[in-house]
Short mmCIF file of all heavy atoms in Angstrom, two decimals:
data_model
loop_
_atom_site.label_atom_id
_atom_site.label_comp_id
_atom_site.label_asym_id
_atom_site.label_seq_id
_atom_site.Cartn_x
_atom_site.Cartn_y
_atom_site.Cartn_z
N ARG A 291 0.43 -60.47 -42.57
CA ARG A 291 1.86 -60.82 -42.63
C ARG A 291 2.66 -59.98 -41.63
O ARG A 291 3.61 -60.46 -41.01
CB ARG A 291 2.40 -60.59 -44.04
CG ARG A 291 2.00 -61.67 -45.02
CD ARG A 291 2.35 -61.26 -46.43
NE ARG A 291 3.76 -61.52 -46.76
CZ ARG A 291 4.42 -60.89 -47.75
NH1 ARG A 291 3.81 -59.98 -48.49
NH2 ARG A 291 5.67 -61.18 -48.00
N ILE A 292 2.28 -58.73 -41.51
CA ILE A 292 2.98 -57.85 -40.56
C ILE A 292 2.75 -58.35 -39.13
O ILE A 292 3.67 -58.43 -38.32
CB ILE A 292 2.50 -56.39 -40.72
CG1 ILE A 292 2.88 -55.87 -42.11
CG2 ILE A 292 3.08 -55.50 -39.62
CD1 ILE A 292 2.38 -54.48 -42.43
N ARG A 293 1.52 -58.73 -38.87
CA ARG A 293 1.17 -59.21 -37.52
C ARG A 293 1.95 -60.49 -37.17
O ARG A 293 2.42 -60.65 -36.04
CB ARG A 293 -0.35 -59.45 -37.46
CG ARG A 293 -0.84 -60.14 -36.21
CD ARG A 293 -0.66 -59.27 -34.99
NE ARG A 293 -1.29 -59.87 -33.81
CZ ARG A 293 -1.03 -59.52 -32.57
NH1 ARG A 293 -0.16 -58.56 -32.32
NH2 ARG A 293 -1.63 -60.10 -31.56
N GLU A 294 2.06 -61.36 -38.14
CA GLU A 294 2.76 -62.62 -37.89
C GLU A 294 4.21 -62.35 -37.49
O GLU A 294 4.72 -62.89 -36.51
CB GLU A 294 2.72 -63.45 -39.18
CG GLU A 294 2.97 -64.92 -38.97
CD GLU A 294 3.07 -65.64 -40.30
OE1 GLU A 294 2.31 -65.31 -41.24
OE2 GLU A 294 3.94 -66.53 -40.40
N LYS A 295 4.84 -61.45 -38.25
CA LYS A 295 6.24 -61.13 -37.94
C LYS A 295 6.34 -60.39 -36.61
O LYS A 295 7.23 -60.65 -35.79
CB LYS A 295 6.82 -60.28 -39.08
CG LYS A 295 8.22 -59.78 -38.77
CD LYS A 295 8.92 -59.21 -39.97
CE LYS A 295 10.28 -58.65 -39.53
NZ LYS A 295 11.08 -58.15 -40.63
N SER A 296 5.42 -59.47 -36.39
CA SER A 296 5.43 -58.67 -35.16
C SER A 296 5.30 -59.57 -33.92
O SER A 296 6.00 -59.40 -32.92
CB SER A 296 4.28 -57.66 -35.22
OG SER A 296 4.03 -57.13 -33.96
N THR A 297 4.41 -60.56 -34.02
CA THR A 297 4.21 -61.48 -32.89
C THR A 297 5.50 -62.24 -32.59
O THR A 297 5.90 -62.39 -31.43
CB THR A 297 3.07 -62.47 -33.22
OG1 THR A 297 1.93 -61.70 -33.55
CG2 THR A 297 2.74 -63.37 -32.06
N ARG A 298 6.17 -62.67 -33.65
CA ARG A 298 7.42 -63.40 -33.47
C ARG A 298 8.48 -62.48 -32.85
O ARG A 298 9.17 -62.86 -31.90
CB ARG A 298 7.89 -63.93 -34.83
CG ARG A 298 9.18 -64.70 -34.78
CD ARG A 298 9.51 -65.34 -36.12
NE ARG A 298 9.68 -64.42 -37.23
CZ ARG A 298 10.74 -63.62 -37.39
NH1 ARG A 298 11.70 -63.63 -36.50
NH2 ARG A 298 10.83 -62.83 -38.43
N GLN A 299 8.58 -61.26 -33.36
CA GLN A 299 9.65 -60.38 -32.88
C GLN A 299 9.38 -59.85 -31.47
O GLN A 299 10.31 -59.70 -30.68
CB GLN A 299 9.88 -59.23 -33.87
CG GLN A 299 10.52 -59.72 -35.17
CD GLN A 299 11.11 -58.60 -36.00
OE1 GLN A 299 10.54 -57.50 -36.06
NE2 GLN A 299 12.22 -58.86 -36.66
N THR A 300 8.13 -59.56 -31.16
CA THR A 300 7.84 -59.10 -29.80
C THR A 300 8.08 -60.25 -28.81
O THR A 300 8.57 -60.02 -27.70
CB THR A 300 6.41 -58.52 -29.66
OG1 THR A 300 5.47 -59.45 -30.18
CG2 THR A 300 6.26 -57.18 -30.35
N SER A 301 7.77 -61.49 -29.23
CA SER A 301 8.03 -62.64 -28.35
C SER A 301 9.53 -62.75 -28.09
O SER A 301 9.97 -63.01 -26.97
CB SER A 301 7.55 -63.95 -28.98
OG SER A 301 6.17 -63.89 -29.20
N ARG A 302 10.30 -62.55 -29.15
CA ARG A 302 11.76 -62.65 -29.02
C ARG A 302 12.28 -61.58 -28.05
O ARG A 302 13.09 -61.85 -27.17
CB ARG A 302 12.38 -62.47 -30.41
CG ARG A 302 13.88 -62.60 -30.44
CD ARG A 302 14.37 -62.34 -31.86
NE ARG A 302 15.81 -62.49 -31.98
CZ ARG A 302 16.40 -63.46 -32.66
NH1 ARG A 302 15.69 -64.37 -33.26
NH2 ARG A 302 17.72 -63.52 -32.72
N LEU A 303 11.78 -60.35 -28.21
CA LEU A 303 12.21 -59.26 -27.33
C LEU A 303 11.86 -59.55 -25.87
O LEU A 303 12.65 -59.33 -24.96
CB LEU A 303 11.51 -57.97 -27.74
CG LEU A 303 12.27 -56.97 -28.61
CD1 LEU A 303 11.40 -55.77 -28.90
CD2 LEU A 303 13.57 -56.53 -27.92
N ILE A 304 10.65 -60.05 -25.68
CA ILE A 304 10.20 -60.38 -24.32
C ILE A 304 11.12 -61.43 -23.71
O ILE A 304 11.56 -61.32 -22.56
CB ILE A 304 8.72 -60.84 -24.33
CG1 ILE A 304 7.82 -59.64 -24.62
CG2 ILE A 304 8.33 -61.52 -23.01
CD1 ILE A 304 6.35 -59.97 -24.79
N GLN A 305 11.44 -62.43 -24.52
CA GLN A 305 12.33 -63.49 -24.02
C GLN A 305 13.69 -62.92 -23.65
O GLN A 305 14.23 -63.21 -22.58
CB GLN A 305 12.46 -64.58 -25.09
CG GLN A 305 13.07 -65.87 -24.59
CD GLN A 305 12.29 -66.44 -23.40
OE1 GLN A 305 11.08 -66.55 -23.46
NE2 GLN A 305 12.99 -66.76 -22.31
N LEU A 306 14.24 -62.09 -24.53
CA LEU A 306 15.55 -61.49 -24.27
C LEU A 306 15.53 -60.67 -22.98
O LEU A 306 16.47 -60.72 -22.17
CB LEU A 306 15.97 -60.58 -25.45
CG LEU A 306 16.32 -61.31 -26.77
CD1 LEU A 306 16.41 -60.30 -27.93
CD2 LEU A 306 17.64 -62.07 -26.62
N ALA A 307 14.45 -59.94 -22.78
CA ALA A 307 14.35 -59.09 -21.57
C ALA A 307 14.21 -59.95 -20.32
O ALA A 307 14.88 -59.72 -19.30
CB ALA A 307 13.15 -58.15 -21.71
N ARG A 308 13.37 -60.97 -20.40
CA ARG A 308 13.13 -61.81 -19.22
C ARG A 308 14.37 -62.64 -18.86
O ARG A 308 14.67 -62.84 -17.69
CB ARG A 308 11.91 -62.71 -19.44
CG ARG A 308 10.63 -61.88 -19.56
CD ARG A 308 9.43 -62.74 -19.70
NE ARG A 308 8.92 -63.16 -18.39
CZ ARG A 308 8.22 -64.26 -18.17
NH1 ARG A 308 7.98 -65.08 -19.14
NH2 ARG A 308 7.78 -64.55 -16.97
N ASP A 309 15.10 -63.06 -19.88
CA ASP A 309 16.35 -63.81 -19.62
C ASP A 309 17.32 -62.97 -18.79
O ASP A 309 18.17 -63.50 -18.09
CB ASP A 309 17.06 -64.17 -20.94
CG ASP A 309 16.33 -65.28 -21.68
OD1 ASP A 309 15.43 -65.89 -21.08
OD2 ASP A 309 16.65 -65.50 -22.87
N ARG A 310 17.20 -61.65 -18.92
CA ARG A 310 18.11 -60.77 -18.19
C ARG A 310 17.50 -60.25 -16.89
O ARG A 310 18.04 -59.35 -16.25
CB ARG A 310 18.51 -59.61 -19.11
CG ARG A 310 19.50 -60.05 -20.15
CD ARG A 310 19.49 -59.25 -21.42
NE ARG A 310 20.44 -59.85 -22.37
CZ ARG A 310 20.18 -60.94 -23.10
NH1 ARG A 310 19.01 -61.54 -23.01
NH2 ARG A 310 21.10 -61.44 -23.90
N GLY A 311 16.33 -60.73 -16.58
CA GLY A 311 15.67 -60.35 -15.33
C GLY A 311 15.01 -58.99 -15.37
O GLY A 311 14.69 -58.41 -14.33
N TRP A 312 14.78 -58.43 -16.56
CA TRP A 312 14.13 -57.13 -16.66
C TRP A 312 12.62 -57.31 -16.64
O TRP A 312 12.10 -58.28 -17.19
CB TRP A 312 14.54 -56.41 -17.96
CG TRP A 312 16.03 -56.21 -18.09
CD1 TRP A 312 16.94 -56.13 -17.08
CD2 TRP A 312 16.77 -56.10 -19.32
NE1 TRP A 312 18.21 -55.96 -17.59
CE2 TRP A 312 18.14 -55.94 -18.96
CE3 TRP A 312 16.43 -56.11 -20.68
CZ2 TRP A 312 19.14 -55.78 -19.92
CZ3 TRP A 312 17.44 -55.95 -21.63
CH2 TRP A 312 18.77 -55.79 -21.25
N ARG A 313 11.95 -56.34 -16.04
CA ARG A 313 10.49 -56.47 -15.95
C ARG A 313 9.85 -56.07 -17.28
O ARG A 313 10.18 -55.02 -17.84
CB ARG A 313 9.95 -55.58 -14.83
CG ARG A 313 8.53 -55.95 -14.45
CD ARG A 313 8.12 -55.27 -13.18
NE ARG A 313 7.35 -54.06 -13.47
CZ ARG A 313 7.23 -53.05 -12.65
NH1 ARG A 313 7.85 -53.06 -11.49
NH2 ARG A 313 6.51 -52.01 -12.97
N VAL A 314 8.93 -56.88 -17.75
CA VAL A 314 8.23 -56.59 -19.00
C VAL A 314 6.83 -56.06 -18.65
O VAL A 314 6.05 -56.76 -17.99
CB VAL A 314 8.14 -57.87 -19.88
CG1 VAL A 314 7.26 -57.64 -21.09
CG2 VAL A 314 9.54 -58.29 -20.31
N ASN A 315 6.54 -54.84 -19.08
CA ASN A 315 5.22 -54.24 -18.79
C ASN A 315 4.27 -54.37 -19.98
O ASN A 315 3.57 -53.42 -20.34
CB ASN A 315 5.42 -52.76 -18.44
CG ASN A 315 6.00 -52.59 -17.07
OD1 ASN A 315 5.70 -53.36 -16.16
ND2 ASN A 315 6.85 -51.60 -16.90
N THR A 316 4.31 -55.51 -20.57
CA THR A 316 3.49 -55.81 -21.75
C THR A 316 2.96 -57.23 -21.58
O THR A 316 3.68 -58.07 -21.04
CB THR A 316 4.41 -55.72 -23.02
OG1 THR A 316 4.79 -54.37 -23.20
CG2 THR A 316 3.72 -56.22 -24.26
N PRO A 317 1.72 -57.51 -22.00
CA PRO A 317 1.21 -58.87 -21.82
C PRO A 317 2.11 -59.92 -22.49
O PRO A 317 2.58 -59.71 -23.61
CB PRO A 317 -0.15 -58.83 -22.50
CG PRO A 317 -0.55 -57.39 -22.47
CD PRO A 317 0.73 -56.60 -22.58
N LEU A 318 2.31 -61.01 -21.78
CA LEU A 318 3.15 -62.09 -22.33
C LEU A 318 2.38 -62.89 -23.39
O LEU A 318 2.97 -63.44 -24.30
CB LEU A 318 3.61 -63.02 -21.19
CG LEU A 318 4.40 -62.32 -20.07
CD1 LEU A 318 4.85 -63.34 -19.03
CD2 LEU A 318 5.60 -61.55 -20.62
N ASP A 319 1.07 -62.91 -23.28
CA ASP A 319 0.24 -63.63 -24.24
C ASP A 319 0.16 -62.81 -25.53
O ASP A 319 -0.37 -61.70 -25.54
CB ASP A 319 -1.17 -63.80 -23.62
CG ASP A 319 -2.14 -64.46 -24.59
OD1 ASP A 319 -1.74 -64.75 -25.74
OD2 ASP A 319 -3.30 -64.67 -24.19
N PRO A 320 0.68 -63.35 -26.65
CA PRO A 320 0.70 -62.57 -27.89
C PRO A 320 -0.68 -62.12 -28.35
O PRO A 320 -0.83 -61.07 -28.98
CB PRO A 320 1.34 -63.52 -28.92
CG PRO A 320 1.48 -64.84 -28.26
CD PRO A 320 1.29 -64.68 -26.78
N GLU A 321 -1.71 -62.89 -28.01
CA GLU A 321 -3.08 -62.51 -28.40
C GLU A 321 -3.51 -61.22 -27.71
O GLU A 321 -4.42 -60.54 -28.17
CB GLU A 321 -4.07 -63.62 -27.98
CG GLU A 321 -3.91 -64.91 -28.73
CD GLU A 321 -4.25 -64.73 -30.20
OE1 GLU A 321 -5.31 -64.16 -30.46
OE2 GLU A 321 -3.44 -65.13 -31.04
N LYS A 322 -2.88 -60.93 -26.58
CA LYS A 322 -3.32 -59.78 -25.77
C LYS A 322 -2.42 -58.56 -25.95
O LYS A 322 -2.54 -57.60 -25.21
CB LYS A 322 -3.33 -60.18 -24.29
CG LYS A 322 -4.30 -61.29 -23.96
CD LYS A 322 -5.28 -60.81 -22.90
CE LYS A 322 -6.53 -61.63 -22.83
NZ LYS A 322 -6.32 -63.04 -22.54
N ARG A 323 -1.44 -58.64 -26.87
CA ARG A 323 -0.58 -57.48 -27.03
C ARG A 323 -0.48 -57.05 -28.50
O ARG A 323 -0.68 -57.85 -29.41
CB ARG A 323 0.82 -57.76 -26.47
CG ARG A 323 1.63 -58.77 -27.22
CD ARG A 323 3.09 -58.79 -26.80
NE ARG A 323 3.81 -59.70 -27.65
CZ ARG A 323 4.09 -60.96 -27.35
NH1 ARG A 323 3.74 -61.46 -26.18
NH2 ARG A 323 4.73 -61.71 -28.20
N GLY A 324 -0.13 -55.77 -28.66
CA GLY A 324 0.10 -55.22 -30.00
C GLY A 324 1.56 -55.33 -30.36
O GLY A 324 2.23 -56.31 -30.00
N GLY A 325 2.12 -54.30 -31.01
CA GLY A 325 3.45 -54.41 -31.59
C GLY A 325 4.58 -53.89 -30.73
O GLY A 325 5.73 -53.89 -31.16
N THR A 326 4.27 -53.44 -29.51
CA THR A 326 5.31 -52.82 -28.67
C THR A 326 5.63 -53.70 -27.47
O THR A 326 4.75 -54.38 -26.94
CB THR A 326 4.79 -51.45 -28.16
OG1 THR A 326 4.54 -50.62 -29.30
CG2 THR A 326 5.78 -50.76 -27.25
N VAL A 327 6.89 -53.65 -27.05
CA VAL A 327 7.26 -54.28 -25.78
C VAL A 327 7.80 -53.18 -24.87
O VAL A 327 8.75 -52.48 -25.24
CB VAL A 327 8.32 -55.38 -25.99
CG1 VAL A 327 8.70 -56.01 -24.65
CG2 VAL A 327 7.79 -56.45 -26.94
N SER A 328 7.18 -53.01 -23.71
CA SER A 328 7.62 -51.99 -22.74
C SER A 328 8.45 -52.69 -21.67
O SER A 328 7.98 -53.64 -21.04
CB SER A 328 6.42 -51.31 -22.08
OG SER A 328 5.59 -50.75 -23.06
N ILE A 329 9.67 -52.21 -21.48
CA ILE A 329 10.60 -52.92 -20.59
C ILE A 329 11.12 -51.98 -19.50
O ILE A 329 11.63 -50.89 -19.78
CB ILE A 329 11.81 -53.47 -21.38
CG1 ILE A 329 11.33 -54.34 -22.56
CG2 ILE A 329 12.73 -54.28 -20.47
CD1 ILE A 329 12.45 -54.78 -23.50
N TYR A 330 10.99 -52.45 -18.26
CA TYR A 330 11.53 -51.72 -17.11
C TYR A 330 12.85 -52.39 -16.72
O TYR A 330 12.91 -53.19 -15.80
CB TYR A 330 10.57 -51.86 -15.94
CG TYR A 330 9.91 -50.58 -15.48
CD1 TYR A 330 8.74 -50.63 -14.71
CD2 TYR A 330 10.43 -49.34 -15.79
CE1 TYR A 330 8.11 -49.47 -14.28
CE2 TYR A 330 9.80 -48.17 -15.36
CZ TYR A 330 8.64 -48.26 -14.62
OH TYR A 330 8.01 -47.12 -14.21
#
Side-chain angles (χ1 to χ4, degrees):
R291 283 170 82 201
I292 296 176
R293 171 66 173 163
E294 200 187 322
K295 174 167 176 176
S296 165
T297 304
R298 180 173 61 73
Q299 290 196 323
T300 51
S301 299
R302 182 183 182 112
L303 260 180
I304 288 174
Q305 194 56 49
L306 290 168
R308 294 183 85 206
D309 287 349
R310 285 153 184 79
W312 302 335
R313 196 168 98 203
V314 172
N315 286 325
T316 292
L318 302 182
D319 176 358
E321 293 294 311
K322 297 238 161 59
R323 67 168 185 263
T326 299
V327 179
S328 303
I329 306 173
Y330 246 161

